[in-house]
Amino acid sequence: ASWVAKMVRYADHIPRALDLGCGSGAFVQALLDAGLDAQGIDIAEAAVGLAAPELRERLRSMKARTGLSESEQIRQAIKQWLDSRGGR
């Protein structure tokens, strides 16, 4: 079994997934193919722009703030993503 299938098997009780650092969305697509409701965020707008057109609606480019620790950048990205979804 592929590593995605193994991951999904261990997370079968989780209906949704968020890929941090999704790039062009290859992992998001693999999760979708495995039956999860997946979305992705990345600070590289150019990478997100390389995603297949039908996948782009599930990917977001978030602005990174300089001077923040990596964990704070991740927290900010998740907050931006939640805000873009109305807090859900």
Side-chain angles (χ1 to χ4, degrees):
S2 74
W3 61 275
V4 173
K6 288 178 184 178
M7 179 179 285
V8 169
R9 186 175 68 237
Y10 289 115
D12 65 351
H13 62 285
I14 301 170
R16 291 185 288 177
L18 175 62
D19 180 8
L20 299 171
C22 66
S24 63
F27 186 57
V28 171
Q29 184 63 61
L31 292 170
L32 289 168
D33 293 344
L36 273 74
D37 177 12
Q39 295 188 348
I41 57 176
D42 201 303
I43 61 171
E45 187 173 350
V48 171
L50 295 173
E54 64 275 8
L55 189 58
R56 285 188 197 138
E57 67 184 35
R58 295 189 162 273
L59 307 180
R60 298 281 182 267
S61 174
M62 303 293 177
K63 300 287 185 201
R65 296 185 181 168
T66 58
L68 298 177
S69 67
E70 184 175 331
S71 61
E72 183 61 21
Q73 288 183 33
I74 291 169
R75 191 187 73 72
Q76 290 289 329
I78 292 170
K79 182 181 182 319
Q80 287 179 37
W81 177 76
L82 286 170
D83 289 348
S84 74
R85 294 177 44 93
R88 302 177 296 150

